[in-house]
Amino acid sequence: MSTIPAISPDTASLIRRQAPDHPVFLFRPDVLQATAARFRAGFPGRVTYALKANDAPVVIENLARAGIDCFDVASVPEMEQVRALLPGAVLHYNNPVRARAEIRAGVAMGCVSWAVDSLAELEKLACEGVAQGTEIAVRFKLPVAAAAYDFGEKFGAAAADAPVIMQRAGSLGYRVSLGFHPGTQCGDPEAWRAYVTAAGNIARCAAIRPCRLNAGGGFAAPDGAGEPDQEAVFAAIAAARAGAFPAPLPGLFCEPGRAMVAGAFRLLTRVKALRSDGSVFLNDGIYGNLGERPAPPTLARFSVLTAQGSPRRGTARPRPVFGPTCDSLDRLPIRLALPETLAEGDYILFHDMGAYGAVTATGFNGYGKSALVTVSQW
Ligand SMILES: Cc1ncc(COP(=O)(O)O)c(C=O)c1O
């Protein structure tokens, strides 16, 4: 994302003034700060941010203004990105598989909390200089299917194996914690309840009181069903912790990515062409900023504007939507209900596009670049 410093009051005036032919992310700092405030007010523990969802400097700076001083980082470049803007920020290194050089870099960058999901990766940390007294959070997984896709396929120790990893971390002199990630775009409070309850069982089995519990990311962003009930999830986490652990309760932290940042951005795309079969060609697609195919609900909320910036009205019908590259896979995973009056040069404004869009965009066929404009209203 390149940054256009000019602040536009809203989408319609941006269209009238600039008639952008390239994809543009519209950013609302007030929305991002309000979301951070909602998490901080409601979540019963420390709120950190998973940088992978969107590492734009404006995101980091606005979260810092909203009181977020701790970041979940998955790689050395992510650590460097945070340190460059917020030298004093707290770093949690929660990618459980790391090369040895990455571990040494994480130590040098001062990461204070590290997730692991296997004994072999734990031994690597000890070997490469992660000091005794550092927090090691054992990440476990459950067969809970409430999310957009299954995170357990890649990371997380089986619940039966987690106690042994906790015990080994304790014997190496680490502060032992537990953590999980229920999967992204998970709106079901019961998923968190199940994980926190399982964490209590794992801790009992290990005979170790975890210092803290990492309740993950996974919190849902708005989708076709509307605004998720974040507070119900927070309440489920708090109630489950009280039931699963004896006093004194372990501390809690969370690391939302998607839910923190999605709603603060919209993506303005333009209709390049229409075909007689009803299909639509846009200036952005799955190799660009619309590439998050596993989570199509995020494409459910959009508005259509004319080339003059006014709402395009008309009876809507589902149409296939293609991206700009020459690859025939470059097609949105769902048909979009678009007005029959849709015209070449119209704009489609995708809502809630702050997470995983810009950061996963490729430059395939020379497309995929976007600009960033700060707006004060949508
Ligand atoms: C360790 C960890 N924490 C947090 C997140 C953020 O998840 P989400 O964007 O679903 O909140 C991820 C996503 O991959 C993750 O791997």
Side-chain angles (χ1 to χ4, degrees), residues 135-136 166 174-178 208-213 248-252:
E135 179 178 56
I136 300 293
M166 287 179 81
Y174 292 123
R175 287 173 57 233
V176 185
S177 290
L178 273 168
I208 292 178
R209 194 184 80 81
C211 300
R212 297 201 295 174
L213 193 55
L249 298 176
L252 272 169

Side-chain angles (χ1 to χ4, degrees), residues 83-139:
R83 283 270 177 265
L85 294 162
L86 307 173
V90 177
L91 298 181
H92 290 176
Y93 192 178
N94 287 342
N95 183 342
V97 178
R98 309 166 182 92
R100 287 176 189 276
E102 290 175 323
I103 297 171
R104 292 192 292 273
V107 171
M109 297 285 248
C111 294
V112 299
S113 181
W114 302 60
V116 295
D117 64 359
S118 75
L119 282 172
E121 289 297 314
L122 173 61
E123 300 299 339
K124 264 161 82 176
L125 298 188
C127 213
E128 298 303 330
V130 176
Q132 291 191 341
T134 303
E135 179 178 56
I136 300 293
V138 177
R139 176 166 166 177

Side-chain angles (χ1 to χ4, degrees), residues 330-343:
D330 191 3
R331 173 187 179 143
L332 297 190
I334 53 172
R335 290 169 169 244
L336 299 188
L338 295 167
E340 280 176 342
T341 50
L342 189 74

